[in-house]
Amino acid sequence: MLSGQRLSVSNPDRTEGSKGMVQTTELENGIYTAGQISQEDIPDLAEAGFRTIINNRPDGEEAGQPPYSDTEHAAQAKGINYYYIPLTQETLTPEKVARFREAMEEAPRPVLVHCRSGARSTLLWALSEARYNKRSTQDLIDVAGRQGKDISSASPLIDHYRAWEDSDVKDG
């Protein structure tokens, strides 16, 4: 099973020009973030013990990006749960945060949450923690910062999500 805060999952079959490793960072409690993964990474992620993958990257965001369905099928073939919750700055809504939270509550851990670089997934995690666990903005910034993710510029947004009440969020 996974241990430590950073994990490099070796994959010699990564596409040419890539580093050959999926770099994951544990935020806390079996929740890891990473940049873009592909179906070729799935066997190594399964071997490393990941039980769930949450993809926050919309299809077509960048040329050459693998479609989510390829990664989803590869994950499911290895018995890994897979959730596709794509978001961008423009599509970040309370409903997306609620959907992420639902996935996190039912997902077996360890969970790998990924996007292009891991930053968006880290922010989504922080917004969920602020909204549903009422964690302080500074605590969330500190946790992310210890893992090399600077989300301090989002502190007003994190404060806003923590302040929301259930009646402010429609079911999506």
Side-chain angles (χ1 to χ4, degrees):
M1 198 52 82
L2 303 171
S3 63
Q5 294 190 13
R6 295 187 194 273
L7 175 69
S8 295
V9 179
S10 176
N11 186 342
D13 298 325
R14 291 284 301 240
T15 57
E16 193 171 70
S18 71
K19 296 179 183 178
M21 300 263 185
V22 175
Q23 299 290 324
T24 66
T25 303
E26 184 176 23
L27 289 170
E28 62 182 9
N29 302 324
I31 302 168
Y32 290 74
T33 60
Q36 181 65 55
I37 64 170
S38 71
Q39 64 272 21
E40 289 83 15
D41 298 314
I42 298 299
D44 290 326
L45 292 168
E47 187 175 318
F50 284 100
R51 298 182 61 206
T52 303
I53 294 171
I54 300 175
N55 179 353
N56 298 133
R57 190 165 191 205
D59 271 352
E61 188 174 52
E62 186 173 73
Q65 170 189 337
Y68 89 88
S69 59
D70 289 354
T71 308
E72 178 180 36
H73 291 125
Q76 290 173 342
K78 288 290 188 181
I80 298 174
N81 296 293
Y82 191 94
Y83 297 85
Y84 182 54
I85 307 172
L87 75 126
T88 64
Q89 185 174 351
E90 294 78 27
T91 64
L92 177 59
T93 63
E95 292 80 13
K96 293 274 179 139
V97 174
R99 189 166 165 221
F100 177 79
R101 179 61 176 196
E102 289 170 10
M104 291 300 294
E105 286 179 347
E106 66 186 40
R109 295 190 185 182
V111 176
L112 178 65
V113 185
H114 81 89
C115 56
R116 187 185 64 76
S117 70
R120 191 176 350 179
S121 295
T122 300
L123 177 60
L124 184 58
W125 164 82
L127 294 175
S128 173
E129 287 294 304
R131 168 69 182 92
Y132 294 97
N133 292 332
K134 301 299 184 190
R135 288 178 65 178
S136 77
T137 298
Q138 192 58 55
D139 177 41
L140 296 167
I141 289 170
D142 290 347
V143 169
R146 284 192 294 274
Q147 306 312 327
K149 306 289 186 189
D150 182 4
I151 60 170
S152 60
S153 64
S155 61
L157 183 61
I158 296 169
D159 287 341
H160 186 70
Y161 269 76
R162 187 180 42 266
W164 264 340
E165 297 298 327
D166 287 339
S167 61
D168 296 329
V169 180
K170 297 177 185 175
D171 290 332

